[in-house]
Amino acid sequence: MNWTGAARTVVVCAILIVLQYTLRPLLAWRASIDFLIVALLLGAVRMRPGWAAVYGFLLGLVSDSLMVNGFGAAALAMSLVGFSASWLKAVFFADNLALNGFFLFLAKWVFDLIFLLVGHRAHGVELIMQILVWSPLSAAVTAVAGVIALSLLKPLMEVRTA
Amino acid sequence: MATAAGLGSRLDAGLLAGCVVLSIVAIALPSQAREPISSSLRRTIVAPLVGMQRSAEQWRTAWVSNEIRQAQADSLAMRAVKAQALIAENDQLRKIIGLGSRLQWGFVPAEALHSTAPSEEVVTTLTLSAGSSAGITRYSPVVAPEGLVGIIQSADPSMSIAILYTNPDFRASTMSADGTAFGIVYPHSSGGSGEDAYMLELRGVPTRATLKPGEMVYTSGLGGTFPRGIAIGTIVSQIKTPEVWTKTYLVRPAVTPSRLTTVLVLTAQRVTQGTGNIWGAMSNTDSATRHIVAAGDSITRMAAQLQARARAAALDSVRQATIDSLTRAGAIAPGGQAAPVVRDSSLLRPRVPAQTAPRAAVPRPDTAVVRRDTIRPDTTRTPRTLRP
């Protein structure tokens, strides 16, 4: 990735991070869009897996610092998701929006799974409801929003084939 | 090449392992140790994001509170509308209770359900919530506190259907309040809208009888369908017709069918025995009330006028008294011209005692003639020559 491509990626990721802290509280949906996951996947596929893990770790720390408890859970989950996304980038960045959407869905669900289990944020029936109902819904919404964001930002992003 | 790839893989694995270990350490840290780290992050790197999130949440709160306020305003408006309807219904129910207490017996109260098709502008029939099991029969008169509504067309055990005076089949024998003029009322198809859609025609009034606009007309009791004395409406004007020996009048009905919610149906026995002068007395009471209110208003107005006149008279007297005293003191010449103004320097001069005439010798200007404002207007008599 050249410098121009890197700068564009940074700008797009910054936009997505800003959206996470402006649009998401405005919408305040029960199954909300996770723009950080979209930003993580968008950046991770352009890095080596190790650096993608570091990027995920930093994003996770930002996310953790604004939460009341469970500090470190988001960092761990995003590190693993970022590393996996970079590892599977060949599949992820195939020019197929449905496949991109599926991987966004999977990434968000895996993130929620790790985050909820490690951060001890829910227990019992509530945890099951969260994992089986609200997390998939949130993942679906995130996937849709991610696909829309990818389509809109395509001119800005460097086109990269597998 | 393979060495570089292997090195890269080892670096990736190392970085991942480092991140995972650091994350686990962060999770395992006690809350006292975690809080300073997250706090320092919030104050430095994440501070702009915290600000943005706070602003977004404020916007969201303002939006939600605005929606809540809007909903409250809507519900208040709805309540106000409902309150108006309740006031109107309450008023009608009071009137119905009043009519019931005056009639005392021989009537069946019923709810009026408007059964006219929505496409029809004029209400012509009513479905009533009482039927033959309550004593209602065909041709029973339907009345309201204001007057005649219509007649029962068909009566089932639990409900009945009434035709209103707006129905083309409706007729009623009518008379004037003093019983000198008789006629038959028919529905009047004016094609008007609102209140003007409900009008009646009083036909067959003899030429010698003249009905004035505003005069009430009542059922005459002839024919036996309606008892004598139920209010029908008020005369509006005479309608020009080709008939020579009879006159036709336009009548504004006392009852507006579209506002009816409850009515009374008179039983056959009551029709036979009559209702007395209930509606006439009601209209007399109403007009008496209106007259009392009008009289009260005029008395208040007159009292205010008299008070204003008394105040003006008092001011006038004070002014005259001041002029008199100044005249006596020589400040004003008898002809009404003011005396020369005495300057302050005159105070230095020795005072000469004024030669004043005895008080009785100087006629007071205000006693010389009778002042107009001291005469009560209601005590003055009109000269005989001006009287008719």
Side-chain angles (χ1 to χ4, degrees), chain B residues 186-319:
Chain B
Y186 292 76
H188 174 74
S189 54
S190 62
S193 59
E195 296 278 321
D196 292 336
Y198 301 101
M199 296 300 273
L200 291 166
E201 280 179 26
L202 175 56
R203 296 182 195 167
V205 179
T207 314
R208 67 175 187 284
T210 304
L211 297 172
K212 293 174 188 169
E215 195 174 334
M216 286 289 293
V217 287
Y218 299 89
T219 52
S220 67
L222 300 174
T225 306
F226 299 104
R228 186 185 174 98
I230 302 172
I232 291 178
T234 50
I235 299 290
V236 176
S237 60
Q238 190 180 343
I239 302 170
K240 286 184 180 175
T241 56
E243 289 143 14
V244 180
W245 303 109
T246 59
K247 290 179 188 173
T248 302
Y249 289 92
L250 187 65
V251 176
R252 184 178 296 283
V255 178
T256 308
S258 56
R259 293 180 192 160
L260 285 174
T261 54
T262 312
V263 292
L264 299 183
V265 184
L266 301 179
T267 59
Q269 198 181 356
R270 186 74 211 217
V271 172
T272 311
Q273 295 200 10
T275 55
N277 191 28
I278 289 172
W279 278 273
M282 278 171 69
S283 84
N284 288 341
T285 310
D286 287 348
S287 64
T289 309
R290 276 197 297 276
H291 280 118
I292 287 165
V293 170
D297 289 349
S298 65
I299 286 168
T300 310
R301 221 169 18 248
M302 280 175 70
Q305 281 175 357
L306 284 172
Q307 204 175 359
R309 281 183 192 171
R311 201 178 299 122
L315 285 170
D316 203 14
S317 300
V318 168
R319 195 169 61 241

